[in-house]
Amino acid sequence: MNEEPAFIKALLADPDDRTVLLVYADWLDEQNEPSKASYLREIAAEKPSTRRLAKLRGGLDAHCADL
């Protein structure tokens, strides 16, 4: 069963819910999506690093380009 739509729905309902972000990140790790998981964990950080977010986002863009 794909739980991703439920995570997205929960995040759309409350974008500031860091707990949902972190649980979603754990789920992404289980789905072998560590780059996406790392990005979500950085977003959920108390003080996200814009430099790290940009680096992680670049990796996501490269990954998505291969799809």
Side-chain angles (χ1 to χ4, degrees), residues 10-65:
L11 288 170
L12 290 172
D14 187 1
D16 296 325
D17 189 340
R18 290 173 37 195
T19 301
V20 172
L21 279 172
L22 293 171
V23 173
Y24 186 17
D26 289 344
W27 182 83
L28 286 167
D29 275 334
E30 292 171 4
Q31 304 308 307
N32 200 27
E33 295 283 352
S35 297
K36 291 179 183 178
S38 295
Y39 185 77
L40 291 182
R41 285 191 182 93
E42 188 62 33
I43 290 172
E46 189 70 32
K47 292 184 179 184
S49 164
T50 54
R51 180 176 288 158
R52 178 151 167 74
L53 282 171
K55 180 179 178 183
L56 290 168
R57 190 171 28 250
L60 290 176
D61 291 343
H63 172 74
C64 292

